[in-house]
Amino acid sequence: MSSLLTNKRYELLHNCGIQLLHIGRPLAAFECLIEAVQVYHSNPRLWLRLAECCIAANKGTSEQETRGLPSKKGIVQSILGQGYHQKIVLASQSTQNTVYNDGQSSAIPVASMEFAAICLRNALLLLPEDQQEMKKDNGLRNFNQSGSGEINNESSETCSGKPHEGERYLVPGPPSSPLRKQELDNLRCSILAGSAYIALALGDNLMALNHAENLLQQPKLSGSLKFLGHLYAAESLISLDRISDAITHLNPENVTDVFLGVSSNEQDQGSDRGENEQMESSGKQILQCYPNSVTSARAMMLFNLGSAYCLRSEYDKARKCLHQAASMVNPKEIPPEGILLAVYLELQNGNTQLALQIIKRNQLLPSVKALSSDVKKKPMFQSIQTVQPPPFSTVQRK
């Protein structure tokens, strides 16, 4: 029994780490997986799981930021002074350039965002660049792992010129099953999305933009990752003061699907079944902080688009985007950034009392009602519900 446990120790650590990650215990999962990766260091999916542990351990209050604020305490940081000189200090929503490791070396294996970036770089390096490299790399690894010159069935089929489509692009992923072509495509997309998110969190906007654009160029990209790719690209472009380019990413028409799973239309559909089930099960846990419909995702795009227009002082366009987004979601689902945007626009327009009412009620209802009552009086607002921002294509992030 002791010999069996010794042989299976790292497999048990790997499986235990995956289970702990899926039940929401990222730190415990990290401790297990960091041990397993010492043996299974050639598994790109294991490096991705380590990065996911780091992200989950450092996400903070991301769920609260996306579910909306339950009370005015969420946007009001403090109140200073009394009477006529009383001032309301609004809370800042910016979390960029946060220092996660307090000067600690990024190479130290701790659950930090810096170490997550290293994990994802390792994962990308382990993925073959193209199909030809995939075949050569697969044959070399099979030869090395077997310790002899024996050629497995896949290699013999490739040499005979009659390989099966589902068996052609196997890449080892110990202790799990080998990764096939569609799994590799899905894995690459997940790694690029995670890399863009981490780069944004660390303030590396150029690297985030590079990863996001690379993600959007992937041929087998799921709707959910396409949505995130546009958001990450837009945020990095805004940080780089490229507002016009960011606006092209925030077009709500770019969102056509927000399904959290992966599409499988190829013959190797069965090989992805286990991974799909894991993604769907984990997706159920994050629905509270992720748009659960295309309408909600497009509303999020419009909120961000309004913010981008504000940066160019195009307040009329920003106001239209804000009200159109507010009409697409439940008032309780409006994010705090949307409320702060409404306050900013009213202050820019000189409507101090209306801005105070929005802060007091912590909702956009006063503005929406005022807008709807003006529709019959002012033709300029007749197209509010169906307004289409000027010719642009896509962008936005949470």
Side-chain angles (χ1 to χ4, degrees):
M1 178 61 73
S2 60
S3 177
L4 177 62
L5 290 177
T6 301
N7 295 335
K8 298 295 183 180
R9 178 175 184 268
Y10 291 100
E11 290 187 30
L12 292 172
L13 284 170
H14 172 271
N15 295 341
C16 183
I18 297 299
Q19 294 301 321
L20 288 170
L21 176 60
H22 281 290
I23 65 175
R25 298 178 57 188
L27 291 177
F30 181 86
E31 296 300 326
C32 293
L33 296 180
I34 200 64
E35 291 289 332
V37 80
Q38 297 180 34
V39 175
Y40 306 121
H41 48 78
S42 62
N43 184 352
R45 189 156 52 189
L46 179 53
W47 287 107
L48 172 62
R49 297 295 177 244
L50 272 171
E52 290 174 346
C53 290
C54 299
I55 294 173
N58 290 277
K59 66 179 181 179
T61 57
S62 60
E63 288 139 358
Q64 296 176 359
E65 293 176 357
T66 52
R67 276 184 288 179
L69 299 172
S71 64
K72 68 178 181 180
K73 287 184 178 181
I75 59 174
V76 178
Q77 180 175 339
S78 61
I79 299 178
L80 305 176
Q82 295 180 351
Y84 182 78
H85 299 286
Q86 188 177 71
K87 305 293 182 182
I88 298 176
V89 180
L90 299 181
S92 173
Q93 298 293 325
S94 177
T95 58
Q96 195 175 19
N97 300 328
T98 302
V99 177
Y100 290 95
N101 62 358
D102 297 329
Q104 191 177 44
S105 173
S106 302
I108 296 178
V110 294
S112 65
M113 297 295 273
E114 289 80 3
F115 186 71
I118 294 178
C119 292
L120 292 178
R121 281 200 296 270
N122 291 344
L124 277 178
L125 289 173
L126 288 170
L127 294 181
E129 292 295 332
D130 51 39
Q131 296 180 0
Q132 284 296 79
E133 180 181 343
M134 213 179 291
K135 296 177 188 177
K136 295 178 181 178
D137 186 61
N138 177 55
L140 179 60
R141 290 187 183 181
N142 287 338
F143 179 84
N144 292 336
Q145 289 186 353
S146 64
S148 64
E150 295 179 0
I151 302 176
N152 61 6
N153 292 335
E154 179 199 354
S155 301
S156 61
E157 288 175 353
T158 304
C159 294
S160 64
K162 297 180 180 180
H164 295 291
E165 184 67 23
E167 302 290 336
R168 184 177 296 176
Y169 304 118
L170 290 176
V171 171
S176 306
S177 302
L179 302 173
R180 301 187 182 183
K181 182 178 183 301
Q182 185 176 352
E183 290 176 319
L184 287 172
D185 293 338
N186 297 333
L187 181 61
R188 188 187 302 277
C189 293
S190 297
I191 293 172
L192 289 172
S195 299
Y197 174 83
I198 291 174
L200 283 173
L202 297 176
D204 193 346
N205 298 304
L206 280 174
M207 186 61 68
L209 178 60
N210 179 56
H211 288 310
E213 290 180 340
N214 194 359
L215 173 64
L216 293 173
Q217 294 173 0
Q218 298 302 308
K220 300 294 180 66
L221 184 62
S222 65
S224 59
L225 292 183
K226 180 181 178 182
F227 167 67
L228 293 177
H230 284 300
L231 286 181
Y232 297 159
E235 181 167 343
S236 58
L237 285 167
I238 287 177
S239 299
L240 294 170
D241 199 24
R242 295 168 55 182
I243 311 301
S244 298
D245 293 334
I247 287 177
T248 63
H249 281 280
L250 290 172
N251 184 353
E253 296 301 323
N254 289 328
V255 183
T256 57
D257 180 24
V258 291
F259 177 57
L260 289 173
V262 291
S263 59
S264 53
N265 299 320
E266 300 181 356
Q267 295 180 3
D268 55 345
Q269 177 178 359
S271 65
D272 292 334
R273 185 174 181 180
E275 185 70 12
N276 290 347
E277 290 174 354
Q278 289 182 353
M279 293 183 66
E280 291 175 2
S281 62
S282 61
K284 295 177 182 177
Q285 300 176 5
I286 62 173
L287 283 178
Q288 59 181 353
C289 58
Y290 184 86
N292 56 5
S293 66
V294 173
T295 300
S296 298
R298 289 182 175 180
M300 187 179 294
M301 283 286 197
L302 286 168
F303 281 126
N304 286 271
L305 182 61
S307 298
Y309 279 133
C310 281
L311 294 175
R312 295 203 307 187
S313 300
E314 298 181 10
Y315 302 119
D316 291 337
K317 292 181 180 179
R319 191 182 305 275
K320 291 179 180 181
C321 291
L322 174 64
H323 291 304
Q324 184 181 357
S327 68
M328 297 169 66
V329 297
N330 188 297
K332 295 181 180 180
E333 297 178 359
I334 295 177
E337 292 82 0
I339 296 176
L340 291 173
L341 176 60
V343 172
Y344 178 80
L345 288 172
E346 297 304 337
L347 291 175
Q348 284 289 341
N349 203 31
N351 298 329
T352 305
Q353 292 302 319
L354 184 55
L356 289 173
Q357 285 296 317
I358 295 175
I359 295 174
K360 181 178 179 180
R361 299 189 184 187
N362 194 29
Q363 58 183 354
L364 300 182
L365 187 60
S367 297
V368 174
K369 286 185 176 179
L371 180 65
S372 60
S373 63
D374 290 341
V375 170
K376 299 179 181 179
K377 301 178 182 179
K378 299 181 180 181
M380 60 180 294
F381 288 108
Q382 288 180 356
S383 61
I384 284 297
Q385 297 299 328
T386 58
V387 67
Q388 293 294 335
F392 53 73
S393 51
T394 57
V395 187
Q396 148 78 14
R397 177 202 168 184
K398 67 177 185 178

